[in-house]
Structure formats: structure tokens, C-alpha cells
Amino acid sequence: MDRRRFLTVLGATGGAAAAVSACDIHPEPTEHLVPYTVPPENQVPGIATYYATTCRECAAGCGLHAKVREGRVVKLEGNPESPINQGRLCSRGQAGLQGLYNPDRITDPMARGSNGEWQKLTWEDAIGRLQAKVKEARGKGIACVTGLESGSFGELVDAWMKEVGGRHVTYEPFALEALREGNRLAFGTAAIPWYDFANARYIVSFGADFMETWLSPVGYQNGFTRAHAFESGRDGSMAKFVSVAPRLSLTGMSADEWIAAKPGTEFMLALAMAQVILAERLAAAPADARALERLLPAPQQVATLVGMEARDIRRLSREFAGSKGGLAVAGGVATQYGSGAHVLVASVNLLNYVAGQVGKTVKFGPNHALEAAGSFKQLTDLVADMSAGRVALLLVHGANPAHSLPAAFSQGLGRVGYKVSFSSYLDETAAASDLVLPDLHPLEQWNDARPRAGVYALQQPVMQPVFPNTRHTGDVLLQASGRASSFKDYLQTRWRTLHQRYGRGRGFDDFWSDAVQHGGVYADAPAQSVRLVPGIAQRLGGLAGSAGASEKHLLIVFPSIALLDGRGANKPWLQELPDPVSKITWHAWVEVHPETAAKAQLANGDILLLESAHGAVRAPVWITAGVRPDVLAVPSGQGHKAYGRYAKDRSFNAFALLSDTPADFGGRAFAVGVKITKTGDHRRLATVEGDAREQGRGIVEVLPLTKARQLKRGAHPFAEEETPAYARKALDAWAEAQHEQASLGNYAGEHPRWAMAIDLTKCTGCSACVTACYAENNLATVGEELVTRRRQMSWLRIERYYTGGEGGRPVGAVVTPMLCQQCGNAPCEPVCPVYAAYHTPDGLNGQVYNRCVGTRYCANNCPYKVRYFNWYNYAERGGEWESWPDPLNMLLNPDVTVREKGVMEKCTFCVQRIRGAQNRARLEDRNVQDGDITPSCAQACPSEAIVFGDLHDKTSRVAALAQDPRGYHVLAGLNTQPAITYLAKVVHGAVVEG
């Protein structure tokens, strides 16, 4: 960022952000720079201001706190008051910053000229063209396609479409239509209930990736870990988790048992479990379910089809019902094979119902907003009208159907008279439009959302627009319809209804200010009772397995945890985030079982040609035991033909393989039969994976639940004795003498010993902590080529190791975060010839950047391999490896140095947060309290697996966890004395070695 740009942001944007306060939130237009000799009100240079808003990176609607420094947002955190995410935030939510500052945003309204080139317009001209086209298209077909808009903006679009005689089509590529139709089939309602994972005692997921992309992954992951965590002395045992799915996803890796049922037969397993519960009277089933016993299949009837033993089906049934808190979930994209996919959801609903859990762990009432997400059938009906020339004007906002429906939609666009896009980026749909009216980013605009019944989440502009000539689409629609009011006025009008309901005697201004300050209004939704639809068993029995299950090679398209349907592909943090399962970055892949690979003589990186009846793609092979031998799997999100420098022409588009015809439940089949051909080409995978297995190094310790319960306070089953007994006394005396000699200057007196505890029973490997570290500590994204050369800069990595798979043992996986261990006897420090690596008085392994000369001796001597070298100057403006092209550099944390070429760097435990908390405590004349300091990784973690504090404070949580019987240090035999204590993973059943 040059000086002129910095001063513009410092003054103009600073003044606006100061105005965005709880008293009068309004982004006042700024005509003059405000010098800091006259500082903006409520803003002190160097002191952050936090504003509440709502994340719009997916439909979950998590609450946000935006950290603003000198008028620019530099970090996004979860809002602790939001019942959706309770202060936690996933990688996609944190990467919203890179959407705000994206260098490929559209800066001005544009129209396609007669020569096919884009021409910039004034807003008056652009809105005039829109008005003229709307007037011209009346009665000839007007349609508006948007993403899910559950709040006031969606209501505005509905009203405007009715006014002009058009139709509003809501389109989400992963709208979970099978889940809604399955609920309608079982209970007569398309509502999507809230699932109470936190109070479940036995969880079975039939392909629902609730930790990744299903409904509300942050909230559900948090609830899951509350149920599945092991707490010493807690009344009752940790919940058991069983995953039934054709591939071992991130969600499946946390399972105590993975059942790779034959695709399309999962519903049979659910029905057989329900039959056992009824036949053996294992639960107090509702009266209308008792007669179903004779109509449901018995385990022996379906065992062979499913690929399980009948006795295992009975065992699962007894465990599920006997837990008195069972929860079964279904409806994920990975099991949306085709026609009949909703039958699985209905079968799982029946299982919950006969177990007496509907109304307990399955709660209708606080329903998810995805119920209103439209359907794939509605979009294909629109595409048919487009192709037939029955759409004269098409408007698109918050959706990119030209990417997710590449063939049919693109063909239909060619028959539409005039296309208008409101996209902030030149994605595939915008690139094919005639007029582009760039919208503000969600962090720059007023809006609201209702992600769940009873939750009314507000968005507010937390800074002035990065590109001043962009405009809120709500303001554009209001002006195009001839209204003089702003969208903020429209929004407040809608909120006056809420004020009447929740105002509690306050005036509207007070109610509004309070809602903006807290991020919305949060209320409890009344419970709704549901009953089984009569004849449900007959309806389920008449629908057999899903189409495509018998194909020789069944290919499943699953949502990428980072890129989702492709909307995250223009954010380098998400591109460089290793997939939690494959550890691959920057490109897609096809998962192949080792048996299938051996038959076809495939190796990792071999290029396969995948051909379906609908399209063909070339995909590199990744061989994994985490997928069935008769199944291939590919992630969505890549393969863009536009959408900016980080997404365009990268890898392949998995949607190209899928059918454009909706299934019988109104949704899309995400499985298809494919022919595979070995091309003979090969590429190196851009992966950060090391060994796929631990090789017996004890990096991730695992305890069976029965043994964990027997551990007594003071026991340390994983402790290693580094020093022989005869030498211990001499070593202690030597250490004491060294300590006395070193107690000089800043090292004299009492100091804290900063430390961390990581509970591996809670950690799921979701990688939210990884992105949080990138955002907080100005880590460079290096791109696909350098990742392929293993030059990634991530200070924190999630290591994934497979277990089992040999000798008939079940396949599973374990994960662990690996970062600088802040060793007491740090091997990196004594080998540095220039003392760049040194030990701080409070126990950190410090790194003096301007002293480092890049010998890399420290990295060679680190047994944990958590030091990273700057091979290039990633901050060089216009350089080949530039990581922060303008205005992406505006997200850099001003409290953290941006490192130069030739410098070694590593995790600092977010030392800037430590020093900030110490300074605040000093100003307030008190000691730092436990909980005052939270590193970025711990703050983001949806599972609350990371605890930070002072080991010398015996009342701190981290000190207590360091003495937990499950605690151990990685590679403790090296006597490095790490500051990080890992708590062993606890599992149901026997431990399967890696």
C-alpha cells in the first residue's frame, strides 16, 4: 500500500468506522480527509474497535465481531452472543476478509459495448438502463435468481418481482432438498429441525457432514464436542459416534466406528435398526409407531445388501436405544445419490421417532432457514424457459449458476434477451451478462438474516466501501422501482415489527441500537410437535435403492469444506488451506481405494479421464483407504472459467460430470456412473502430507474409554523418563546452578510460563485454527507451485494419520495440531550463529527477524519441523510471488511484522496478544488473569480444543490440564520440555494402531 492509499483509508474510512457505533450506526459519506491531529470520535490510533455483524459466507448465519484498526477491518472473530456459533468461527468465515479486499472485485458499474468489451458507466446511466430493460421486459418474462436471502433483502426482491410481474428463484447448489423432502415424507413438513448434538449420547450420521458444510457446521461441531469430549469425573460417559458413509470425510474421521455401507443401501440399515428397537422393546416408542414392527425389514433381510453382519445391526440398534439420547442425522450431499435419496432421510426420521428422540435431540420449532432455499428443480424449470426464449430479462444476485450448472445454464443464457448481474466479482455468470452492477461486500452493507427460527441476525457496515463506486443492491432495486428511501430505511421498517414483539417497552431507537451492538435479537422459538404420516412404512418399502448404486464406478461429488460450491475459490487463504482429509491444496483430485488403484496400476498424481453421460474431466489420483473400493470421490469448488486470478483456470469443475435433470425429490443427484481411463499423464500433488501413518512414534496417543475412566489423579501413563535415576540428582543441581546464573536483567524475578493444552478428543481437524493463524499473523500464501515444492508458510498444521486397514482391522484416522512447542530446552536456540532464536523470560522461543541471516540451522535442528523459511519476498509489490496485491494488503495486522526474504519464522503463541494483555493489566494496576489472553487458534476453534495460559499460575486451566492423567508431550524422549501438553484421544472400543 502506498502513502496516498494509506492516508485515504486512515482518514476517510477511519471516520466512517468511527461512526459505526452502537449509538448511531451509519456510514456517513466523507468528503475530506480527517487528519489525526483531530482524531475521529471513539477511535484511538493503535486501539482496535469491534463491531458486531453477521457472516454471509454460507447459509448458517454465524455472528461476527469485526476488529477495526484505523478504519479498516483486520480480523474477524465469532460473536460470543450469537446462539448459532457461540463465539467460534470456521475457515470460510475468517476468509471473508479476502472477499472484502479481493483485488479482483468489480469497482464500477459496467456494460458490454457493441464490440463486446466492458465499458464503465455512471450509476445514473446504469440504473437508467436497468429501469428501461425492466419496462421493456414486462409481460415477456422477468426472473431474478438469488442465493438464500432469509431476511429483508429477500423480502424486497419478492416484493419487487411481484410489482414487475417477474419471479424470484432462490438457488443454492447444496440446498439439501433430500433432507426437506424426507421430512415431508415422514412428518408432513419440509421444515428442517435443530439437532441437539450437545445432549446426544449416541450419534449416528448417515452421510451428513455436520462438521463441514451441513446446515450449521460451527454450531453443530461445538455441540458434538460437548457430547463427545471426555471429562475426567464427569457424570456419565462420552457419547459414541458412528459414521455411515461411502467415504471417510472430516466428520467421519471423528467417528468411533466407520461403516462403509454400500451406496444406496443406508436407508435399509436405518429401517432395520428401527425394526430391532420395536421388536425388542428397547425404547418407549410412540403409539403410532408400534404397529410398524411387522412392516419394517429385519437385520437378516438387509445385512447382505448393506454389507454388514446382522449381529452388528442389532448391536448398533441396542446401543442407540440404550443410550437414552440417540441422535441419527441424514440428508448430506455425499449420500444424495439420485432418485430416492429422500427415502434415507425419512428412514432416519423413523429411527429417531421409534427411539423416542423426536422432540428431544431432534427439535422442530427452532427450524433452519434452509427450508426456504428453493430447489434445483425450480432452477432447471427456469433454465428450460430461458432456452425456450421465454425470459426477456434475467437478474442474478449472490449466485453463480453458470459454474454449478455449466452446460445447461450457459446455453440458456444465450437465449435470454438481457442479463444483469449484481456480483462483486466477475464470475462466470457475471462474465456472460450484459450489465454488471457491483454490490457492496457484506462487511460494507446493511442487511439481516434469519438463520434459525427465533434468531434475527443483523449486518452493519463495519467500514466504508473499499471501492467507493460500488453500491448496495437493495439501494439499486429501490431506486430502480422509483422509491427515494435507502435500504437501511427499508430494513428498519421491517425491524419495527420485531420491536413490537421484543422491544420490552423501549423506544425503537434504543431497541435498534441494542440490536446492532449485540449483532441481532436472539429469542427462543416455541417447540413444534410432529407425528408420523400414516402409511409411512408402505411408502418407504415401495422405494428401493438409489439410482446409480449398481454402476461399475460410482463417482460421488462432495462439497469442499473450504471452497464449498466454488464461492471460496477466489480467496487464497482457502485455496492454500490443506483439505483436512487429503491434505491437498490449490487443486482438486479424485479419491481412489488402494485395491482399485492396484487393479488399474495407478499411483498418486496419475491423471485419470473421468467420463460420465453428461461431461468429462481430467483429475489427478489420490489413493486412500478412506473410500470404498467401488466408489470414486471428487470435491467441488474448483474449475472456474472466470472469478479472478486465484480461481480462474484452476483444476477441474466436478459439476460438469453431474446430470442437469432434477431427481424425484426436487434436488440434484451428486453421484454418477463414470468410465475411467488412464491418460498416461502425471503431476505432483500440491500436498502438505508427510507420512500417512504415525510409524509408531506416539505423536497421537489414543486411549480406550474403559482405560481412560480408570485413570486416577496423579497418574501419567504416557510419561517418559528422560534421565536415568542415578543422574537425576546431579542434573537437578546443574539446572539450578544454570538458572541462578541466568537470572540477570529481564530474566530476574518471577515470570509466567506461557503454555497450551490441546485436547485431541475434542480436536476434529477442521483447520479453523490454521486460517485464524494466517489472518492474525500475516502469513504469506505462496501458491500452488511453491506448495508443490513444500515451501508453504503455515505456522500451524493439522497432521492426519490413518489407522487400521490391515488384517481386516477397521480403517480410521486421528488428527493433531502441530505448531511450535515453545520448548524449555529448545534445540533451535543454541545452533543459531547470530542469536536470532532466543529464549524469552516468559518461556517463549523468540525469533528476532532483523537479526536472522537465514542459515536455517534452527529448522534443521527442530524435531517438530515447525519453522518456516521465507524463500522469496512475498510482500514485494508487483513481485512474482506477491501475496498481498493491493488492496489485499489492507487486511494485514498492524501489530505483527511482515517478514522479508531470507528470514525464518514460526508460531509465537500470538505474542502480540500476550504483550497487549500485559500492557492493559499494567495500566489497570493488576496482574494478568487467566483467560485474559487467547491466541487466534484457540479463539476460532469450534471444538474449544485449545486452552492457553500460564503454567506458573496453579489456578489456571492450562496448569490443571497439564497435570491431567491423559497429558503427554510429543517426542518427550528428546527432553525438549515442550510447553504444549496434548491430552490423549479417547475412543469407544479397542484402540486401532496406526
PDB file of all heavy atoms in Angstrom, residues 43 76 122 200 529 577 731 961:
ATOM      1  N   GLN A  43     -12.293   6.771  18.461  1.00  0.00           N
ATOM      2  CA  GLN A  43     -11.220   5.989  17.858  1.00  0.00           C
ATOM      3  C   GLN A  43      -9.871   6.529  18.314  1.00  0.00           C
ATOM      4  O   GLN A  43      -9.613   7.725  18.214  1.00  0.00           O
ATOM      5  CB  GLN A  43     -11.323   6.019  16.334  1.00  0.00           C
ATOM      6  CG  GLN A  43     -10.395   5.015  15.682  1.00  0.00           C
ATOM      7  CD  GLN A  43     -10.743   4.807  14.221  1.00  0.00           C
ATOM      8  OE1 GLN A  43      -9.917   5.059  13.355  1.00  0.00           O
ATOM      9  NE2 GLN A  43     -11.951   4.380  13.933  1.00  0.00           N
ATOM     10  N   LEU A  76     -11.632 -11.074  11.706  1.00  0.00           N
ATOM     11  CA  LEU A  76     -12.997 -11.458  12.015  1.00  0.00           C
ATOM     12  C   LEU A  76     -12.980 -12.557  13.061  1.00  0.00           C
ATOM     13  O   LEU A  76     -12.214 -13.520  12.938  1.00  0.00           O
ATOM     14  CB  LEU A  76     -13.727 -11.950  10.761  1.00  0.00           C
ATOM     15  CG  LEU A  76     -13.890 -10.951   9.619  1.00  0.00           C
ATOM     16  CD1 LEU A  76     -14.561 -11.610   8.417  1.00  0.00           C
ATOM     17  CD2 LEU A  76     -14.689  -9.735  10.073  1.00  0.00           C
ATOM     18  N   THR A 122     -21.659   5.451 -15.297  1.00  0.00           N
ATOM     19  CA  THR A 122     -22.059   6.111 -14.053  1.00  0.00           C
ATOM     20  C   THR A 122     -23.253   5.349 -13.491  1.00  0.00           C
ATOM     21  O   THR A 122     -23.951   4.624 -14.207  1.00  0.00           O
ATOM     22  CB  THR A 122     -22.480   7.562 -14.306  1.00  0.00           C
ATOM     23  OG1 THR A 122     -23.652   7.572 -15.127  1.00  0.00           O
ATOM     24  CG2 THR A 122     -21.358   8.337 -14.985  1.00  0.00           C
ATOM     25  N   ALA A 200     -26.859 -35.241  23.009  1.00  0.00           N
ATOM     26  CA  ALA A 200     -26.962 -36.597  22.479  1.00  0.00           C
ATOM     27  C   ALA A 200     -25.967 -37.504  23.192  1.00  0.00           C
ATOM     28  O   ALA A 200     -24.880 -37.076  23.571  1.00  0.00           O
ATOM     29  CB  ALA A 200     -26.701 -36.597  20.978  1.00  0.00           C
ATOM     30  N   SER A 529     -44.671 -29.921  17.687  1.00  0.00           N
ATOM     31  CA  SER A 529     -44.790 -31.381  17.754  1.00  0.00           C
ATOM     32  C   SER A 529     -45.111 -31.906  16.360  1.00  0.00           C
ATOM     33  O   SER A 529     -45.842 -31.274  15.588  1.00  0.00           O
ATOM     34  CB  SER A 529     -45.887 -31.800  18.729  1.00  0.00           C
ATOM     35  OG  SER A 529     -47.137 -31.282  18.322  1.00  0.00           O
ATOM     36  N   LEU A 577      -5.397 -23.610   2.115  1.00  0.00           N
ATOM     37  CA  LEU A 577      -5.742 -24.407   3.296  1.00  0.00           C
ATOM     38  C   LEU A 577      -5.759 -25.887   2.904  1.00  0.00           C
ATOM     39  O   LEU A 577      -6.558 -26.296   2.060  1.00  0.00           O
ATOM     40  CB  LEU A 577      -7.119 -23.992   3.815  1.00  0.00           C
ATOM     41  CG  LEU A 577      -7.627 -24.759   5.037  1.00  0.00           C
ATOM     42  CD1 LEU A 577      -6.799 -24.404   6.270  1.00  0.00           C
ATOM     43  CD2 LEU A 577      -9.097 -24.457   5.277  1.00  0.00           C
ATOM     44  N   LEU A 731      21.758 -33.782  37.702  1.00  0.00           N
ATOM     45  CA  LEU A 731      21.165 -32.937  36.662  1.00  0.00           C
ATOM     46  C   LEU A 731      20.337 -31.810  37.276  1.00  0.00           C
ATOM     47  O   LEU A 731      20.402 -30.665  36.816  1.00  0.00           O
ATOM     48  CB  LEU A 731      20.291 -33.784  35.733  1.00  0.00           C
ATOM     49  CG  LEU A 731      19.696 -33.050  34.526  1.00  0.00           C
ATOM     50  CD1 LEU A 731      20.797 -32.527  33.611  1.00  0.00           C
ATOM     51  CD2 LEU A 731      18.768 -33.967  33.751  1.00  0.00           C
ATOM     52  N   LEU A 961      -4.804 -28.776  33.273  1.00  0.00           N
ATOM     53  CA  LEU A 961      -4.787 -29.734  32.172  1.00  0.00           C
ATOM     54  C   LEU A 961      -3.404 -30.337  31.976  1.00  0.00           C
ATOM     55  O   LEU A 961      -3.272 -31.478  31.527  1.00  0.00           O
ATOM     56  CB  LEU A 961      -5.256 -29.054  30.886  1.00  0.00           C
ATOM     57  CG  LEU A 961      -6.735 -28.665  30.850  1.00  0.00           C
ATOM     58  CD1 LEU A 961      -7.041 -27.825  29.613  1.00  0.00           C
ATOM     59  CD2 LEU A 961      -7.617 -29.907  30.867  1.00  0.00           C
TER      60      LEU A 961
END
